[in-house]
Amino acid sequence: MKTTPFTEKHISLGAKMQEFAGYNMPIEYSGIIDEHMAVCNAVGVFDVSHMGEFWVKGPHALDFIQQVTSNNAAALVPGKVQYTCFPNETGGIVDDLLVYAYEDEKFLLVVNAANIEKDWNWCMAHNKVGAELENASDRMAQLAVQGPRAVEVLQKLTPVKLSEIPYYSFCVGELAGVEKVIISNTGYTGAGGFELYFYPQDAECIWNAVFKAGEEFGIKPAGLGARDTLRLEMGFCLYGNDIDDTTSPLEAGLGWITKFVDGKDFTNKDALLKQKQEGVARKLVGFEMVDRGIPRHGYLLVDEAGEQIGHVTSGTMSPLRKIGIGLGYVKTAFSKPDTEIWLDCRGRKLRAKVVKPPFRK
């Protein structure tokens, strides 16, 4: 298995380790619920160094990004971040990702760990405009410091005025004595906070400084288990569960990152535009359990008569709400909020209702 610069730290702290996307990653430390609530109420730290990072540079950098991603990167200015996806040629999604506008002719693409090689090959194969591409995944480390006290923790360590960095924006500055740290007001928890990008050789220094600064707020390390329950309470998609090569961004409720604007001719644009105009046969929805039960990936969703109408893509017991919550694809006729649906839980039919995420208000 691959390791991150923090792997030995996780092991020394007693984390439950498990393979994820080829990496030896911490699943939990003090427990998923405890870590989840720490992030909701105070601050937690996730090692996300397994994520992939590609630099796109040169005079044709923007042209390349416009061609391979669904969102309108022309709207970006240096210091801004955009959520987007790589559409494939058959209507699905290669991956979802973040685009950082670093400079006028320099962008950073942050992709999912499990898709680094796949995404790199896709970018190389679709670079028809001569953009300069660099796979920097092994030369960057990343921590996500998340929660309502994250700003107070990190402000101790940097002269950068963090409160002046808007959501989905970033700056490059000194943090914990380390120069050129990307400090990004992003994260996949819905609890606020920052994601930090830096060189692997600075990992221990930054980890130690962040945890020392967070002592008074009860800062805790958090694993992938809590990261998953936090993103699910917000209704955020997880690649490989809720979106994949067979799911359209329009089916997945990602029409807001699929921009049909003049001058942007991206992969499979015409087919996706037709889908937008004609509508989709299924939609990704959020739902919460009315009966007691926990939805799991792969469970069937049925109507009152027991006929299949869809399936669960993600599900858990909400640590905050104490009820079962999930995401799943259903026939469009069953996609409106408050529609009754049923979960087929190993042969038991359990009542649920469609709701609009987030589940955590």
Side-chain angles (χ1 to χ4, degrees):
M1 285 187 289
K2 295 181 180 179
T3 60
T4 78
F6 303 104
T7 299
E8 292 305 316
K9 182 73 71 174
H10 303 318
I11 293 171
S12 70
L13 291 172
K16 178 183 177 182
M17 306 293 290
Q18 187 173 307
E19 185 274 335
F20 178 81
Y23 286 81
N24 191 16
M25 295 296 292
I27 303 302
E28 59 181 289
Y29 295 84
S30 56
I32 292 173
I33 294 177
D34 184 60
E35 294 160 28
H36 181 112
M37 299 309 296
V39 173
C40 286
N41 296 323
V43 60
V45 180
F46 300 85
D47 174 13
V48 282
S49 302
H50 60 318
M51 300 290 282
E53 294 89 10
F54 307 156
W55 288 108
V56 184
K57 309 173 189 176
H60 301 295
L62 179 60
D63 294 334
F64 168 76
I65 293 170
Q66 287 288 74
Q67 176 190 334
V68 298
T69 67
S70 62
N71 211 333
N72 183 21
L76 288 170
V77 296
K80 289 295 184 180
V81 188
Q82 187 179 77
Y83 179 59
T84 187
C85 75
F86 294 132
N88 67 22
E89 289 149 342
T90 56
I93 298 172
V94 179
D95 201 5
D96 61 334
L97 67 148
L98 294 180
V99 176
Y100 283 74
Y102 200 81
E103 297 170 2
D104 285 335
E105 296 184 354
K106 186 177 182 181
F107 298 82
L108 180 67
L109 310 185
V110 182
V111 304
N112 284 301
N115 291 337
I116 294 173
E117 182 178 2
K118 170 190 172 185
D119 291 352
W120 178 250
N121 291 338
W122 181 267
C123 288
M124 292 295 287
H126 290 77
N127 184 12
K128 309 299 185 183
V129 295
E132 181 185 342
L133 303 182
E134 176 191 349
N135 187 347
S137 303
D138 293 335
R139 299 187 297 278
M140 295 184 78
Q142 185 186 354
L143 289 179
V145 184
Q146 299 283 289
R149 311 309 290 267
V151 172
E152 294 166 88
V153 171
L154 294 177
Q155 194 61 78
K156 296 180 182 183
L157 305 176
T158 179
V160 175
K161 293 184 179 179
L162 300 179
S163 62
E164 296 180 3
I165 303 177
Y167 190 46
Y168 265 67
S169 301
F170 73 97
C171 71
V172 180
E174 177 193 333
L175 186 136
V178 176
E179 300 288 343
K180 297 183 179 179
V181 176
I182 297 175
I183 306 169
S184 175
N185 186 353
T186 50
Y188 222 52
T189 66
F194 290 83
E195 294 179 303
L196 311 174
Y197 299 80
F198 43 89
Y199 291 114
Q201 59 264 32
D202 297 316
E204 184 173 4
C205 171
I206 289 178
W207 175 282
N208 291 339
V210 167
F211 276 88
K212 184 175 181 181
E215 282 180 356
E216 66 174 295
F217 304 112
I219 194 169
K220 290 187 176 183
L224 295 181
R227 183 172 165 84
D228 190 51
T229 55
L230 285 158
R231 71 91 193 166
L232 184 48
E233 280 190 344
M234 292 303 296
F236 295 155
C237 291
L238 175 66
Y239 193 88
N241 279 44
D242 313 300
I243 52 177
D244 58 33
D245 289 295
T246 70
T247 58
S248 153
L250 300 177
E251 292 175 333
L254 298 178
W256 63 279
I257 66 165
T258 309
K259 301 293 176 60
F260 304 99
V261 297
D262 291 340
K264 178 177 170 64
D265 187 18
F266 60 92
T267 305
N268 209 39
K269 176 183 177 180
D270 291 343
L272 290 173
L273 180 58
K274 183 180 180 182
Q275 193 177 76
K276 179 181 180 180
Q277 293 167 342
E278 296 180 353
V280 294
R282 63 174 184 170
K283 289 185 178 180
L284 184 68
V285 299
F287 65 92
E288 58 186 39
M289 298 304 301
V290 176
D291 292 337
R292 186 170 180 81
I294 304 176
R296 299 296 186 193
H297 175 77
Y299 281 12
L300 298 183
L301 296 170
V302 300
D303 62 15
E304 187 171 9
E307 295 295 321
Q308 182 179 350
I309 58 169
H311 66 280
V312 179
T313 55
S314 291
T316 193
M317 174 66 74
S318 165
L320 202 64
R321 298 278 307 284
K322 309 299 184 188
I323 60 171
I325 59 172
L327 298 176
Y329 284 95
V330 298
K331 294 178 180 178
T332 301
F334 294 87
S335 65
K336 292 182 180 179
D338 295 323
T339 300
E340 282 194 331
I341 59 176
W342 282 261
L343 177 73
D344 186 339
C345 182
R346 297 187 296 274
R348 295 165 54 227
K349 203 173 81 166
L350 303 178
R351 189 185 303 267
K353 69 174 180 177
V354 174
V355 297
K356 185 178 180 179
F359 302 97
R360 176 188 352 133
K361 306 302 181 183

